[in-house]
Amino acid sequence: MARIPYPEFAPDFDMPTPIYGSPHDATLLNVFRVLGHSPALLTAVADIGHTQLTEGQLTDTERELVILAGGRCFGADYVWAQHEQLGARFGLSPDQLTALHEQHHTADCFNGPQRDLLAFVSAVAATARVEDALFQRVREHHGDRGIVEIIALIGVYFLVSRITTTLDVEIDSRELDSVLSAAGHPQD
């Protein structure tokens, strides 16, 4: 059980995007339920998450690499549980998922740009400044827009991680197929 109760939502409150569920039935993901204590914050986090999912430059696989690696760096079982199946759906192999879970970011199952991306995630998560050579390699592969989106994604998942770890938010049992469907991703 979460360390604080999930709030009741005002009858007229609607999520800015339906991909995370509805606050008026049992479909809203728990991290958004607890964020309901601050409806404006919930709306902002939902908006940025939706933007990162649907309008970001990163491929689906790259986005899930960043989220899963960041979630592990921040010790967030909730993030791992919510995104492990998405990572598999978007092309991460079982070996890659195992390496990510074990934080073995230099494993042979990752190609060079993926290893650089994972090193970048770890550096951003742990330090105030990424060393120049790594920064340049990631910038060459992803460009300036990509660098900004990667850092923002790490930041959002730091927020999600700390909300879920500090408040002991329960891992959702909801299948994420409905999230993908609502976001316009085709189902397998």
Side-chain angles (χ1 to χ4, degrees), residues 6 33 35 41-42 88-89 93 110 113 117 133 135 150 155 161 163 168 170 172 184 186:
Y6 297 113
R33 287 178 60 205
L35 284 170
L41 180 60
L42 181 155
R89 161 93 33 90
S93 71
F110 299 114
L117 180 60
F135 180 88
I150 293 164
S161 294
I163 291 286
D168 292 333
E170 296 96 349
D172 298 280

Side-chain angles (χ1 to χ4, degrees), residues 17-181:
T17 175
I19 69 172
Y20 302 113
S22 169
H24 305 296
D25 62 25
T27 62
L28 187 63
L29 295 174
N30 288 336
V31 68
F32 291 103
R33 287 178 60 205
V34 79
L35 284 170
H37 283 287
S38 176
L41 180 60
L42 181 155
T43 298
V45 172
D47 280 341
I48 196 168
H50 183 258
T51 298
Q52 289 173 320
L53 178 64
T54 62
E55 298 178 36
Q57 169 182 298
L58 297 175
T59 67
D60 292 333
T61 302
E62 291 166 338
R63 186 188 61 251
E64 293 306 316
L65 279 172
V66 171
I67 293 169
L68 288 165
R72 293 300 295 152
C73 287
F74 303 132
D77 292 338
Y78 184 96
V79 171
W80 183 266
Q82 291 301 105
H83 284 270
E84 181 180 23
Q85 66 177 302
L86 291 176
R89 161 93 33 90
F90 292 134
L92 294 176
S93 71
D95 287 345
Q96 288 173 318
L97 289 168
T98 298
L100 284 167
H101 193 266
E102 295 171 358
Q103 295 184 316
H104 184 51
H105 298 159
T106 59
D108 290 340
C109 57
F110 299 114
N111 64 32
Q114 289 173 331
R115 283 192 293 275
D116 287 341
L117 180 60
L118 294 170
F120 189 81
V121 170
S122 294
V124 170
T127 63
R129 184 167 167 79
V130 175
E131 60 115 270
D132 288 339
L134 176 59
F135 180 88
Q136 282 307 110
R137 287 193 309 274
V138 174
R139 185 179 185 202
E140 285 172 17
H141 190 78
H142 294 283
D144 294 345
R145 175 182 170 179
I147 287 283
V148 169
E149 290 182 3
I150 293 164
I151 295 167
L153 189 58
I154 296 165
V156 167
Y157 276 87
F158 176 77
L159 179 146
V160 168
S161 294
R162 286 301 165 260
I163 291 286
T164 60
T165 60
T166 303
L167 298 179
D168 292 333
V169 174
E170 296 96 349
I171 294 171
D172 298 280
S173 60
R174 177 179 169 207
E175 280 292 319
L176 294 181
D177 285 344
S178 56
V179 171
L180 293 173
S181 221

